[in-house]
Structure formats: C-alpha cells, structure tokens
Amino acid sequence: MIVTGWDAVSMKTAIERLKETGGGAAYAVGAEVIAEFPAPLCGVISLKPMAIMREEMRQVEKALAQNGVKWERPVLTLDTLTSPAIPQLRITHRGYVRLKDREILPLEAEKGQ
C-alpha cells in the first residue's frame, strides 16, 4: 500500500477505507473520505464495468486536483513508483531505494521540506 498525504489523520482515514474496500485508491481530508476507487481484486482491479471504473477514477483525480495536486495522473504516478518501469528508483516496504548506490532513504518528510 502506498500512502501519501499532508497529515496523519487524513492518511489514516484513507488507509482504513482501503482496508474496507480491499484496495484501490482513496482520498481523504481529515476523517472524511472525499473520493474513492474501490479495487478489491488483488487490491488493484475493480469488478465494476469500465464506465463506472473510469468515473470513479476521474472523481479521485478531480478531488485531488481541486485540492492542489498538479500532476495529470496522480494515482497512476504513485502506482508506477513501485513497478520496474522506472529503473532509477524503487519504493519498497523499507523506504525509497536509490538504485545507483542502493541507499535506502526515508519515505516520510517533515512539513516545510
């Protein structure tokens, strides 16, 4: 599970919602889930028709954009960080691995950095 966020409460809300739905994407502000894309099959695949899946993902991306995320496809961007598609880095359960020197860097940043 990849979790990014500004504050611990919002991230915890998203994590709890993803546990309930079995995977996918969830965007939360504080204790409220704003948008979600449930994907219960292996945590990445929806069982809904494509038109519904597309609309759910659009709602997640729209909510993120309305709240300051400037990436065009933020959920896809995060998903890609864990795949072999980017040969320079990996995000693992131990942290960010910079492959050129195999140094493990923390995944958490303090506010203001």
Side-chain angles (χ1 to χ4, degrees), residues 14-83:
I15 289 168
E16 292 304 318
R17 184 61 186 147
L18 290 172
K19 287 179 183 177
E20 292 170 5
T21 64
Y27 172 61
V29 175
E32 180 183 1
V33 175
I34 306 298
E36 66 183 4
F37 170 72
L41 185 58
C42 299
V44 294
I45 300 170
S46 175
L47 302 173
K48 297 177 183 176
M50 185 64 74
I52 293 172
M53 290 171 34
R54 181 180 61 236
E55 185 56 33
E56 288 174 343
M57 188 55 71
R58 282 184 179 160
Q59 291 302 315
V60 170
E61 291 175 346
K62 181 180 175 183
L64 289 166
Q66 288 173 340
N67 286 280
V69 175
K70 297 182 186 334
W71 303 337
E72 187 175 327
R73 303 282 306 234
V75 176
L76 180 60
T77 300
L78 291 174
D79 286 344
T80 303
L81 291 174
T82 61
S83 78

Coordinates of all heavy atoms in Angstrom, one line a residue, residues 14-83:
A14 N -7.8 7.3 4.9 CA -7.6 6.7 3.6 C -7.2 5.2 3.8 O -7.8 4.3 3.1 CB -6.6 7.4 2.8
I15 N -6.3 4.9 4.7 CA -5.9 3.5 5.0 C -7.0 2.7 5.4 O -7.3 1.6 5.0 CB -4.7 3.5 6.0 CG1 -3.4 4.1 5.4 CG2 -4.5 2.1 6.5 CD1 -2.3 4.3 6.4
E16 N -7.8 3.2 6.4 CA -8.9 2.4 6.9 C -10.0 2.2 5.8 O -10.5 1.1 5.8 CB -9.6 3.2 8.1 CG -8.6 3.2 9.3 CD -8.2 1.9 9.8 OE1 -9.0 0.9 9.9 OE2 -7.0 1.7 10.1
R17 N -10.2 3.2 5.0 CA -11.1 3.0 3.9 C -10.6 1.9 2.9 O -11.4 1.1 2.4 CB -11.4 4.3 3.2 CG -12.5 4.2 2.1 CD -13.8 3.7 2.7 NE -14.8 3.5 1.6 CZ -15.7 2.5 1.7 NH1 -15.9 1.8 2.8 NH2 -16.5 2.4 0.7
L18 N -9.4 1.9 2.6 CA -8.8 0.9 1.7 C -8.9 -0.5 2.3 O -9.1 -1.4 1.6 CB -7.4 1.3 1.3 CG -7.2 2.5 0.4 CD1 -5.8 2.9 0.2 CD2 -7.9 2.2 -1.0
K19 N -8.7 -0.6 3.6 CA -8.9 -1.9 4.2 C -10.3 -2.4 4.0 O -10.6 -3.6 3.8 CB -8.6 -1.8 5.7 CG -7.1 -1.7 6.0 CD -7.0 -1.6 7.6 CE -5.5 -1.3 8.0 NZ -5.4 -1.2 9.5
E20 N -11.3 -1.4 4.1 CA -12.7 -1.8 4.0 C -13.0 -2.2 2.5 O -13.8 -3.2 2.3 CB -13.6 -0.6 4.4 CG -13.6 -0.3 5.8 CD -14.3 1.0 6.2 OE1 -14.9 1.6 5.3 OE2 -14.2 1.4 7.3
T21 N -12.5 -1.5 1.6 CA -12.8 -1.8 0.1 C -11.9 -2.9 -0.5 O -12.2 -3.4 -1.5 CB -12.7 -0.5 -0.7 OG1 -11.3 -0.1 -0.7 CG2 -13.6 0.6 -0.2
G22 N -10.8 -3.2 0.2 CA -10.0 -4.2 -0.3 C -8.9 -3.8 -1.2 O -8.2 -4.5 -1.8
G23 N -8.8 -2.4 -1.4 CA -7.7 -1.9 -2.3 C -8.3 -0.8 -3.2 O -9.4 -0.4 -3.1
G24 N -7.4 -0.3 -4.0 CA -7.8 0.8 -4.9 C -7.1 2.1 -4.5 O -6.0 2.1 -4.2
A25 N -7.9 3.1 -4.6 CA -7.5 4.5 -4.2 C -8.5 5.1 -3.3 O -9.7 5.0 -3.6 CB -7.2 5.3 -5.5
A26 N -8.1 5.9 -2.4 CA -9.0 6.7 -1.5 C -8.3 8.0 -1.2 O -7.1 8.1 -0.9 CB -9.3 5.9 -0.2
Y27 N -9.1 9.1 -1.3 CA -8.6 10.4 -1.0 C -9.5 10.9 0.2 O -10.7 10.9 0.1 CB -8.7 11.4 -2.2 CG -8.5 12.8 -1.8 CD1 -7.2 13.2 -1.4 CD2 -9.4 13.8 -2.0 CE1 -6.9 14.5 -1.0 CE2 -9.2 15.1 -1.6 CZ -7.9 15.4 -1.2 OH -7.7 16.7 -0.8
A28 N -8.8 11.3 1.3 CA -9.5 11.7 2.5 C -8.9 13.1 2.9 O -7.7 13.4 2.8 CB -9.3 10.7 3.6
V29 N -9.8 13.8 3.5 CA -9.4 15.1 4.2 C -9.9 14.9 5.6 O -11.1 14.8 5.9 CB -10.0 16.3 3.6 CG1 -9.6 17.6 4.4 CG2 -9.5 16.5 2.1
G30 N -9.0 14.9 6.6 CA -9.3 14.6 8.0 C -10.0 13.3 8.1 O -9.5 12.3 7.6
A31 N -11.2 13.2 8.7 CA -11.9 11.9 8.9 C -12.9 11.6 7.8 O -13.6 10.7 7.9 CB -12.6 12.0 10.3
E32 N -12.9 12.4 6.7 CA -13.9 12.3 5.7 C -13.2 11.7 4.4 O -12.2 12.3 3.9 CB -14.6 13.6 5.4 CG -15.6 13.5 4.3 CD -16.2 14.8 4.0 OE1 -15.9 15.9 4.6 OE2 -17.1 14.9 3.1
V33 N -13.8 10.7 3.8 CA -13.3 10.2 2.5 C -14.0 11.0 1.5 O -15.2 11.1 1.4 CB -13.7 8.7 2.3 CG1 -13.3 8.2 0.9 CG2 -13.0 7.8 3.3
I34 N -13.2 11.7 0.6 CA -13.8 12.6 -0.4 C -14.1 11.9 -1.7 O -15.1 12.1 -2.3 CB -12.8 13.8 -0.6 CG1 -12.4 14.5 0.7 CG2 -13.3 14.7 -1.7 CD1 -13.5 15.2 1.4
A35 N -13.2 11.0 -2.1 CA -13.4 10.2 -3.3 C -12.7 8.9 -3.2 O -11.7 8.8 -2.5 CB -12.9 11.0 -4.5
E36 N -13.1 7.9 -3.9 CA -12.5 6.6 -3.9 C -12.7 5.8 -5.1 O -13.6 6.1 -5.9 CB -13.0 5.8 -2.7 CG -14.5 5.4 -2.8 CD -15.0 4.7 -1.6 OE1 -14.3 4.5 -0.6 OE2 -16.2 4.2 -1.7
F37 N -11.8 4.9 -5.3 CA -11.8 3.9 -6.4 C -11.6 2.6 -5.8 O -10.5 2.2 -5.6 CB -10.7 4.3 -7.5 CG -10.6 3.2 -8.5 CD1 -11.5 3.0 -9.5 CD2 -9.5 2.4 -8.5 CE1 -11.4 2.0 -10.5 CE2 -9.3 1.4 -9.5 CZ -10.3 1.2 -10.4
P38 N -12.7 1.8 -5.5 CA -12.5 0.5 -4.9 C -12.0 -0.5 -5.9 O -12.4 -0.5 -7.1 CB -13.9 0.1 -4.5 CG -14.7 1.4 -4.5 CD -14.1 2.3 -5.5
A39 N -11.0 -1.3 -5.5 CA -10.4 -2.3 -6.4 C -10.1 -3.5 -5.6 O -9.0 -3.8 -5.2 CB -9.1 -1.8 -7.1
P40 N -11.1 -4.3 -5.3 CA -11.0 -5.4 -4.3 C -10.2 -6.7 -4.9 O -9.7 -7.5 -4.1 CB -12.4 -5.8 -4.0 CG -13.2 -5.4 -5.2 CD -12.5 -4.2 -5.7
L41 N -10.1 -6.8 -6.2 CA -9.4 -8.0 -6.7 C -7.9 -7.7 -6.7 O -7.4 -6.9 -7.4 CB -9.9 -8.3 -8.1 CG -9.3 -9.6 -8.7 CD1 -9.7 -10.8 -7.9 CD2 -9.9 -9.7 -10.1
C42 N -7.2 -8.4 -5.8 CA -5.8 -8.3 -5.5 C -5.4 -6.8 -5.2 O -4.2 -6.4 -5.3 CB -5.0 -8.7 -6.8 SG -5.2 -10.5 -7.2
G43 N -6.3 -6.0 -4.8 CA -6.1 -4.6 -4.4 C -5.8 -3.7 -5.5 O -5.6 -2.5 -5.3
V44 N -5.9 -4.1 -6.7 CA -5.7 -3.3 -7.9 C -6.7 -3.3 -9.0 O -6.7 -2.5 -9.9 CB -4.3 -3.5 -8.5 CG1 -3.2 -3.2 -7.5 CG2 -4.1 -5.0 -8.9
I45 N -7.6 -4.3 -9.0 CA -8.5 -4.5 -10.1 C -10.0 -4.4 -9.5 O -10.4 -5.0 -8.6 CB -8.3 -5.9 -10.7 CG1 -6.9 -6.0 -11.3 CG2 -9.4 -6.1 -11.8 CD1 -6.5 -7.4 -11.7
S46 N -10.7 -3.5 -10.2 CA -12.1 -3.4 -9.9 C -13.0 -4.4 -10.6 O -12.6 -5.0 -11.6 CB -12.6 -2.0 -10.4 OG -14.0 -1.9 -10.2
L47 N -14.1 -4.8 -10.0 CA -15.0 -5.7 -10.5 C -16.2 -5.1 -11.2 O -17.1 -5.7 -11.7 CB -15.5 -6.7 -9.4 CG -14.4 -7.4 -8.7 CD1 -15.0 -8.2 -7.5 CD2 -13.7 -8.4 -9.6
K48 N -16.2 -3.7 -11.3 CA -17.2 -3.0 -11.9 C -17.0 -2.8 -13.4 O -15.9 -2.9 -13.9 CB -17.3 -1.6 -11.2 CG -17.7 -1.7 -9.8 CD -17.7 -0.3 -9.1 CE -18.0 -0.4 -7.6 NZ -17.9 0.9 -7.0
P49 N -18.1 -2.4 -14.1 CA -17.9 -2.2 -15.6 C -17.0 -1.0 -15.8 O -16.8 -0.1 -14.9 CB -19.4 -1.8 -16.0 CG -20.3 -2.4 -15.0 CD -19.5 -2.4 -13.7
M50 N -16.3 -1.0 -16.9 CA -15.3 0.0 -17.3 C -15.8 1.4 -17.1 O -15.1 2.3 -16.6 CB -14.8 -0.2 -18.7 CG -13.6 0.7 -19.1 SD -12.2 0.4 -18.1 CE -11.6 -1.1 -18.7
A51 N -17.0 1.7 -17.5 CA -17.6 3.1 -17.5 C -17.6 3.6 -16.0 O -17.3 4.7 -15.7 CB -18.9 3.1 -18.1
I52 N -18.0 2.7 -15.1 CA -18.1 3.1 -13.7 C -16.7 3.2 -13.1 O -16.4 4.2 -12.4 CB -18.9 2.0 -12.9 CG1 -20.3 2.0 -13.3 CG2 -18.8 2.3 -11.4 CD1 -21.2 0.9 -12.8
M53 N -15.8 2.3 -13.5 CA -14.4 2.5 -13.0 C -13.8 3.8 -13.5 O -13.1 4.5 -12.7 CB -13.5 1.3 -13.6 CG -13.8 0.0 -13.0 SD -13.0 -1.4 -13.9 CE -11.5 -0.7 -14.4
R54 N -14.0 4.1 -14.7 CA -13.5 5.4 -15.3 C -14.0 6.6 -14.5 O -13.2 7.5 -14.1 CB -13.8 5.5 -16.8 CG -13.2 6.7 -17.4 CD -13.6 6.8 -18.9 NE -15.0 6.9 -19.1 CZ -15.7 6.1 -19.9 NH1 -15.1 5.1 -20.5 NH2 -17.0 6.2 -20.0
E55 N -15.3 6.6 -14.2 CA -15.9 7.7 -13.5 C -15.4 7.8 -12.1 O -15.1 8.9 -11.6 CB -17.4 7.6 -13.5 CG -18.1 8.8 -12.9 CD -17.7 10.1 -13.5 OE1 -17.4 10.2 -14.7 OE2 -17.7 11.1 -12.8
E56 N -15.2 6.7 -11.4 CA -14.7 6.7 -10.0 C -13.2 7.2 -10.0 O -12.9 8.0 -9.2 CB -14.7 5.3 -9.4 CG -16.1 4.8 -9.1 CD -16.1 3.4 -8.6 OE1 -15.2 2.6 -8.8 OE2 -17.2 3.0 -8.0
M57 N -12.4 6.8 -11.0 CA -11.0 7.3 -11.0 C -11.0 8.8 -11.4 O -10.2 9.5 -10.8 CB -10.2 6.5 -12.0 CG -8.7 6.8 -12.0 SD -8.0 6.7 -10.3 CE -8.0 4.9 -10.1
R58 N -11.9 9.2 -12.3 CA -12.0 10.6 -12.6 C -12.3 11.5 -11.3 O -11.8 12.6 -11.2 CB -13.0 10.9 -13.7 CG -12.5 10.5 -15.1 CD -13.5 10.9 -16.1 NE -12.9 10.6 -17.4 CZ -13.7 10.4 -18.5 NH1 -15.0 10.5 -18.4 NH2 -13.1 10.1 -19.7
Q59 N -13.2 10.9 -10.5 CA -13.6 11.7 -9.3 C -12.5 11.8 -8.3 O -12.3 12.8 -7.7 CB -14.8 11.0 -8.7 CG -16.1 11.1 -9.5 CD -16.5 12.5 -9.7 OE1 -16.5 13.4 -8.8 NE2 -16.9 12.9 -10.9
V60 N -11.7 10.7 -8.2 CA -10.5 10.8 -7.3 C -9.5 11.8 -7.9 O -9.1 12.7 -7.1 CB -9.8 9.4 -7.2 CG1 -8.4 9.5 -6.5 CG2 -10.7 8.4 -6.5
E61 N -9.2 11.8 -9.2 CA -8.3 12.7 -9.8 C -8.8 14.2 -9.7 O -8.0 15.1 -9.4 CB -8.0 12.3 -11.2 CG -7.2 11.0 -11.2 CD -6.9 10.5 -12.6 OE1 -7.6 11.0 -13.6 OE2 -6.0 9.6 -12.8
K62 N -10.1 14.3 -9.9 CA -10.7 15.7 -9.8 C -10.6 16.2 -8.4 O -10.2 17.4 -8.2 CB -12.2 15.6 -10.2 CG -12.9 16.9 -10.2 CD -14.3 16.8 -10.7 CE -15.1 18.1 -10.5 NZ -16.5 17.9 -10.9
A63 N -10.9 15.4 -7.4 CA -10.8 15.8 -6.0 C -9.4 16.2 -5.6 O -9.1 17.2 -5.0 CB -11.3 14.7 -5.1
L64 N -8.4 15.4 -6.1 CA -7.0 15.7 -5.8 C -6.6 17.0 -6.5 O -5.9 17.9 -5.9 CB -6.1 14.6 -6.3 CG -6.2 13.3 -5.5 CD1 -5.5 12.1 -6.3 CD2 -5.6 13.5 -4.2
A65 N -7.0 17.2 -7.7 CA -6.7 18.5 -8.5 C -7.3 19.7 -7.8 O -6.7 20.7 -7.6 CB -7.2 18.4 -9.9
Q66 N -8.5 19.6 -7.3 CA -9.2 20.7 -6.6 C -8.5 21.0 -5.3 O -8.7 22.1 -4.8 CB -10.7 20.3 -6.4 CG -11.5 20.3 -7.6 CD -12.9 19.8 -7.3 OE1 -13.2 19.1 -6.4 NE2 -13.8 20.1 -8.3
N67 N -7.8 20.1 -4.8 CA -7.1 20.3 -3.5 C -5.6 20.5 -3.7 O -4.8 20.4 -2.7 CB -7.4 19.2 -2.5 CG -8.8 19.4 -2.0 OD1 -9.0 20.2 -1.1 ND2 -9.7 18.6 -2.6
G68 N -5.1 20.9 -4.9 CA -3.8 21.3 -5.1 C -2.8 20.4 -5.8 O -1.7 20.7 -6.0
V69 N -3.2 19.1 -6.1 CA -2.3 18.2 -6.7 C -2.2 18.6 -8.2 O -3.2 18.7 -8.9 CB -2.8 16.7 -6.6 CG1 -1.9 15.8 -7.4 CG2 -2.8 16.3 -5.1
K70 N -1.0 18.9 -8.7 CA -0.8 19.4 -10.0 C -0.5 18.3 -11.0 O -0.4 18.6 -12.2 CB 0.3 20.5 -10.0 CG 0.0 21.7 -9.1 CD 1.0 22.7 -9.2 CE 0.8 23.9 -8.3 NZ -0.4 24.3 -7.9
W71 N -0.2 17.1 -10.6 CA 0.1 16.0 -11.5 C -1.1 15.7 -12.4 O -2.3 15.7 -11.9 CB 0.5 14.7 -10.8 CG 1.7 14.9 -9.9 CD1 2.6 15.8 -9.9 CD2 2.0 14.0 -8.8 NE1 3.5 15.6 -8.9 CE2 3.1 14.5 -8.2 CE3 1.4 12.9 -8.3 CZ2 3.7 13.9 -7.1 CZ3 1.9 12.3 -7.2 CH2 3.1 12.8 -6.6
E72 N -0.9 15.3 -13.6 CA -2.0 15.0 -14.5 C -2.7 13.7 -14.1 O -3.9 13.6 -14.1 CB -1.5 14.9 -16.0 CG -2.6 14.7 -17.0 CD -2.1 14.7 -18.4 OE1 -1.2 15.5 -18.7 OE2 -2.7 14.0 -19.2
R73 N -1.9 12.6 -13.8 CA -2.5 11.3 -13.4 C -1.8 10.9 -12.1 O -1.0 10.0 -12.1 CB -2.2 10.3 -14.5 CG -2.7 10.6 -15.9 CD -4.2 10.4 -16.0 NE -4.5 9.0 -15.6 CZ -5.1 8.2 -16.4 NH1 -5.5 8.5 -17.6 NH2 -5.3 6.9 -15.9
P74 N -2.2 11.5 -11.0 CA -1.5 11.2 -9.7 C -1.6 9.8 -9.2 O -0.6 9.3 -8.7 CB -2.2 12.2 -8.7 CG -3.5 12.5 -9.3 CD -3.3 12.4 -10.8
V75 N -2.7 9.1 -9.4 CA -2.8 7.7 -8.9 C -1.9 6.8 -9.7 O -1.1 6.0 -9.2 CB -4.2 7.2 -8.9 CG1 -4.3 5.8 -8.5 CG2 -5.1 8.1 -7.9
L76 N -1.9 7.0 -11.0 CA -1.0 6.2 -11.9 C 0.4 6.5 -11.6 O 1.3 5.6 -11.6 CB -1.3 6.5 -13.4 CG -0.5 5.8 -14.4 CD1 -0.7 4.3 -14.3 CD2 -0.8 6.3 -15.8
T77 N 0.8 7.8 -11.3 CA 2.1 8.1 -11.0 C 2.6 7.4 -9.7 O 3.7 6.8 -9.7 CB 2.3 9.6 -10.7 OG1 1.9 10.3 -11.9 CG2 3.7 10.0 -10.4
L78 N 1.8 7.3 -8.7 CA 2.2 6.6 -7.5 C 2.3 5.1 -7.8 O 3.2 4.4 -7.3 CB 1.2 6.9 -6.4 CG 1.2 8.3 -5.8 CD1 0.1 8.5 -4.8 CD2 2.6 8.6 -5.2
D79 N 1.3 4.5 -8.5 CA 1.4 3.1 -8.8 C 2.7 2.8 -9.6 O 3.3 1.7 -9.3 CB 0.2 2.7 -9.7 CG -1.1 2.6 -8.9 OD1 -1.0 2.6 -7.7 OD2 -2.1 2.6 -9.6
T80 N 3.1 3.6 -10.5 CA 4.3 3.4 -11.3 C 5.6 3.4 -10.4 O 6.5 2.7 -10.7 CB 4.5 4.5 -12.4 OG1 3.3 4.5 -13.1 CG2 5.6 4.2 -13.3
L81 N 5.6 4.1 -9.3 CA 6.8 4.2 -8.5 C 7.2 2.8 -7.8 O 8.3 2.6 -7.4 CB 6.6 5.2 -7.4 CG 6.6 6.6 -7.8 CD1 6.3 7.6 -6.6 CD2 7.9 7.0 -8.5
T82 N 6.2 1.9 -7.8 CA 6.5 0.6 -7.2 C 6.8 -0.5 -8.3 O 7.1 -1.6 -7.9 CB 5.4 0.1 -6.3 OG1 4.2 -0.1 -7.2 CG2 5.1 1.0 -5.2
S83 N 6.8 -0.1 -9.5 CA 7.0 -1.1 -10.6 C 8.4 -1.0 -11.2 O 9.1 0.0 -10.9 CB 5.9 -0.8 -11.7 OG 6.4 0.3 -12.5

